Amino acid sequence: MIGGALSRGLHCAPHAGRRLVSEAPEGRRRSDVCGNARSGFSSESCSHTELGSRARGTSFHLTSLVTSFGDTASTSQPLTPFGRRGVIRTVPHAEAGATSGVTPARFDGVSRSGAFLSALYQFTRPHTMAGTFISVVSISVMALQGLPFGAAAANGLTTALVSALLMNVFIVGLNQVYDVEIDKINKPYLPLASGEFSMRTGLVIIGVTLVLSLGVGVLSGSPPLMATLVVSMLLGIAYSTDLPLLRWKKNAFVAACCVMAIRAIAVQLGFFFHMQRSIGVYNFATPKPLLITVFLMFFFAAVIALFKDIPDVRGDNESGVQTFSVRMGEQKVFWICIWMLTAMYAGAIGMGLTSKVVWSRIAFPCTQALMIGILWKRAREMKSAQKQDFVGFYMFIWQLFYSEYFCIPLLR
């Protein structure tokens, strides 16, 4: 191995950026790397070209490491398998590609594709996508009301999920387009704020997702689904768009009403009746579990609408967006949200106790009591009022939101 051959203080000239290559077959020491390794070689006798030519066809090579030295590097410093003791840096893409068989164009293409997909993932606001996915599935299963999940139900669920997720991307994307300056302060990691996406790219994405979402709704032939998509679109536009009589997010109360209208009413009722229509049930009665779900999601939507502004106080204040957090302070809004969730769970326990099914009367209230305990344990663990702490708690509220949809099937 080259480390063994050079362990007696042998060295190459201190050229910056020289690649170390090991060519020694098993059981054999390559002592003549530059023609005179046994006696030590000088900077004149070991050229970069010669090393490169001898590196071809090797069974093992270190293409990812090069050594970087100043002109004053000491010749007494030994070469190690990782280069001379000093600064280690990575080989540039073009240089590494020449020895590894990966062309620079291909490497850069893969890198760009990965960067685009990563930015697109952030652009979709994945925690909201997860909330939409879970809520649509849960409400659709509730709509079956004991009927088998057949082809018609699968088709109804698929069209609901695809159109809802596409509409979700449109709504959160539109908000980023109009909030780009605020996000440079509050959420600089978002693609438009960070510059990973140009404004044109953002507009193309929201335009395509809107057209596709409405297209799926039209092709489904389902009035409940189409109504849900249109209402969500209109409220999303009114919430974010900076035009006269719009930009409702500037008013804290109206902004909260927008979120509640979509999450608590449109999603629950729209997708419930869409699924019933898909399986041939045209009875527009609202069963008790659906009404309880609307009640629960009304509180959750209100809390999410309030809490999401707590970490964004600085940017909202500088931009003139008068959220409750800006007007009242983060701590007050934080505890308002905690008590709202507590009241919601207490109400859910009471409604669960009215069930005529014994196991439901026990199981559902127990889950809600457990949620209260988890909520207050986490609230008491809030040691500071730093932005990152509020962001973490905000994501915890989304986890409670997801969890509630897994409890809803226990309602009878």
Side-chain angles (χ1 to χ4, degrees), residues 251-272:
N251 184 291
F253 177 77
V254 177
C257 288
C258 282
V259 177
M260 289 186 290
I262 295 176
R263 288 285 179 187
I265 300 175
V267 169
Q268 316 307 321
L269 300 181
F271 291 114
F272 180 88

Side-chain angles (χ1 to χ4, degrees), residues 14-15 24 60 78 110 125 130 134 180 193 196 221 317 330 348 367 411:
H15 297 304
F60 172 73
V110 173
R125 309 298 280 139
I134 294 171
V180 63
E196 291 181 272
N317 192 32
E330 299 101 311
T367 61
L411 286 168

